[in-house]
């Protein structure tokens, strides 16, 4: 790959690795029994879409450590996308989301395969849970068979354990906070562990550790990755309620009906008066809630603007961290570009 990074070309390389690897695994699953076809299909669907940001952060974590482009590293970086695919399947299952990228989520799509089952809804959810479990297992498999030296892979093993632990911790915190009194600090903690770390910080650290980077570089990666990861999820919260469903592929009322502890909701609650809180509380969690009524309340309290300021402050913090990063100029430039694309996306 040339020094002038081409995000489109990088995505195509990662897509090639993911699609080929998962297609082979899907075929092996169907070889066990043709009845597993719908499950195999969901494995492939889970990796069909994505901007491949996590793979990019892992790649540039490696390049920032002074290492050259490497097909073996690309395979290791692609494993980050399988972690994400697993997290998405599980998250949609936990949240009972109906749509992802404009298509039925795994637990909805699998209902047809178990229409004969006496508890078809529960059976479809069980199948989706297993799809997510298998995707996480495949992430580890792709990583260890990437072709990188065993000594390199061993260096990163503790970070893999931390990634899994923190991702599960964040998901658990979201479940525990759902329906509780909105609190901005608590919501930001959920964001940090559920999304920020495994989206930006951990892929960077894994890439850097594989490269043999010094601790000082890892500290710089964390100083950049944590605020940027939080900005990424804050943008996702805004898109989830105020975005165009045709672009996001999601139901804009999902977070409201589920009373999820988003920072957007917490900031609205924080500045609302008693009457506004009573109205907001009456709207949340109702199947027939009109998202537009909640959006109107949030706009009247200028919540979207405050969340935009939170995003901008975190992106600025991440970019400031790059100023002191002891890494090759190409890596610093790529990370600066990624900071903008991750925080300013439209879907």
């Amino acid at each position: 790959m040339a020094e002038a990074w081409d995000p489109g070309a990088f995505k195509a390389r990662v897509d090639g690795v993911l699609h080929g690897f998962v297609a082979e695994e899907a075929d092996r699953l169907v070889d066990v029994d043709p009845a597993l076809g719908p499950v195999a299909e969901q494995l492939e669907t889970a990796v069909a879409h994505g901007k491949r940001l996590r793979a990019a952060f892992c790649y540039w974590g490696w390049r920032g450590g002074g290492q050259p482009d490497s097909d073996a590293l690309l395979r290791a970086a692609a494993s980050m996308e399988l972690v994400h695919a697993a997290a998405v399947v599980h998250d949609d299952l936990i949240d009972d989301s109906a749509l992802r990228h404009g298509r039925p989520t795994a637990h909805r799509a699998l209902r047809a395969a178990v229409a004969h089952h006496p508890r078809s809804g529960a059976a479809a959810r069980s199948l989706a849970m297993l799809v997510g479990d298998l995707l996480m297992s495949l992430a580890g498999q792709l990583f260890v068979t990437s072709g990188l030296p065993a000594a390199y892979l061993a260096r990163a093993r503790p970070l893999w354990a931390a990634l899994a632990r923190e991702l599960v911790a964040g998901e658990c915190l979201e479940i525990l906070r759902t329906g509780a009194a909105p609190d901005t600090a608590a919501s930001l903690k959920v964001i940090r562990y559920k999304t920020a770390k495994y989206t930006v910080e951990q892929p960077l650290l894994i890439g850097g550790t594989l490269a043999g980077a010094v601790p000082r570089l890892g500290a710089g990666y964390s100083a950049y990755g944590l605020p940027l990861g939080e900005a990424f999820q804050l943008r996702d919260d805004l898109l989830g309620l105020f975005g165009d469903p045709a672009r996001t592929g999601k139901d804009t009322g999902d977070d409201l009906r589920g009373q999820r502890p988003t920072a957007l909701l917490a900031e609205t609650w924080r500045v609302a008066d008693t009457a506004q809180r009573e109205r907001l509380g009456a709207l949340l969690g109702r199947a027939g809630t009109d998202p537009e009524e909640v959006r109107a309340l949030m706009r009247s309290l200028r919540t979207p603007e405050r969340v935009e300021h939170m995003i901008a402050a975190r992106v600025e913090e991440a970019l400031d961290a790059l100023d002191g990063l002891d890494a090759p100029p190409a890596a610093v430039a790529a990370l600066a570009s990624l900071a903008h694309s991750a925080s300013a996306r439209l879907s």
Side-chain angles (χ1 to χ4, degrees):
M1 181 177 287
E3 280 301 303
W5 184 50
D6 181 343
F10 178 82
K11 180 183 182 303
R13 291 176 73 192
V14 175
D15 283 347
V17 170
L18 285 174
H19 296 163
F21 177 75
V22 174
E24 288 181 5
E25 292 298 326
D27 288 345
R28 291 188 180 108
L29 197 62
V30 174
D31 285 343
V32 174
D33 193 299
L36 293 168
V39 177
E41 181 181 352
Q42 288 307 307
L43 281 179
E44 296 194 77
T45 297
V47 299
H49 301 280
K51 297 177 179 63
R52 311 313 184 198
L53 289 173
R54 293 155 187 85
F57 286 121
C58 185
Y59 176 85
W60 285 108
W62 164 270
R63 295 295 305 275
Q67 295 282 7
D69 181 62
S70 160
D71 287 339
L73 185 278
L74 192 85
R75 285 175 60 83
S79 71
M80 301 292 103
E81 298 298 331
L82 288 173
V83 171
H84 176 54
V88 164
V89 170
H90 283 151
D91 195 50
D92 286 342
L93 178 60
I94 291 166
D95 293 343
D96 197 23
S97 297
L99 293 174
R100 173 74 63 170
H101 299 298
R103 296 167 56 97
T105 49
H107 63 282
R108 295 295 182 96
L110 286 164
R111 287 181 178 179
V114 289
H116 59 280
H117 196 285
R119 296 175 61 241
S120 59
R125 294 176 67 83
S126 297
L127 288 176
M129 177 185 69
L130 294 168
V131 168
D133 291 348
L134 183 52
L135 285 164
M136 185 62 85
S137 174
L138 292 177
Q141 181 182 331
L142 181 58
F143 186 78
V144 300
T145 61
S146 62
L148 289 173
Y152 288 26
L153 297 172
R155 289 198 295 250
R157 190 174 297 126
L159 291 176
W160 265 89
L163 182 153
R165 179 174 60 250
E166 290 171 351
L167 177 55
V168 169
E171 193 70 69
C172 289
L173 284 173
E174 182 177 68
I175 294 169
L176 291 166
R177 289 296 310 172
T178 293
D183 177 86
T184 300
S187 293
L188 289 173
K189 189 167 190 177
V190 170
I191 282 173
R192 173 165 287 206
Y193 283 92
K194 183 188 171 188
T195 303
K197 282 178 162 286
Y198 99 89
T199 297
V200 186
E201 185 199 25
Q202 289 290 8
L204 271 171
L205 290 174
I206 288 172
T209 300
L210 288 169
V214 298
R216 183 168 174 268
L217 183 60
Y221 283 165
S222 290
Y224 163 89
L226 281 172
L228 181 58
E230 290 179 2
F232 175 90
Q233 184 56 44
L234 289 168
R235 174 65 62 202
D236 201 62
D237 289 348
L238 276 174
L239 288 171
L241 185 55
F242 290 92
D244 179 0
R247 296 185 69 103
T248 65
K250 300 177 183 178
D251 182 344
T252 56
D254 248 9
D255 286 346
L256 299 177
R257 286 189 291 272
Q259 298 186 66
R260 289 171 204 138
T262 64
L264 190 62
L265 175 59
E267 278 296 287
T268 301
W269 189 267
R270 183 178 66 81
V271 299
D273 61 27
T274 301
Q276 289 166 330
R277 286 186 174 185
E278 287 179 356
R279 182 57 187 154
L280 185 59
L283 290 169
L284 294 174
R286 278 178 20 195
T289 293
D290 179 5
E292 185 51 41
E293 189 170 353
V294 180
R295 284 192 287 263
L297 176 58
M298 288 181 171
R299 289 190 188 103
S300 72
L301 295 171
R302 302 184 65 82
T303 306
E305 288 91 336
R306 282 197 304 282
V307 174
E308 287 285 3
H309 286 313
M310 293 167 71
I311 292 170
R314 283 160 173 77
V315 173
E316 183 178 0
E317 183 181 349
L319 292 173
D320 286 347
L322 292 180
D323 291 339
L325 197 68
D326 185 17
V332 174
L335 291 174
S337 176
L338 281 165
H340 293 294
S341 60
S343 59
R345 67 197 197 281
L346 299 176
S347 62

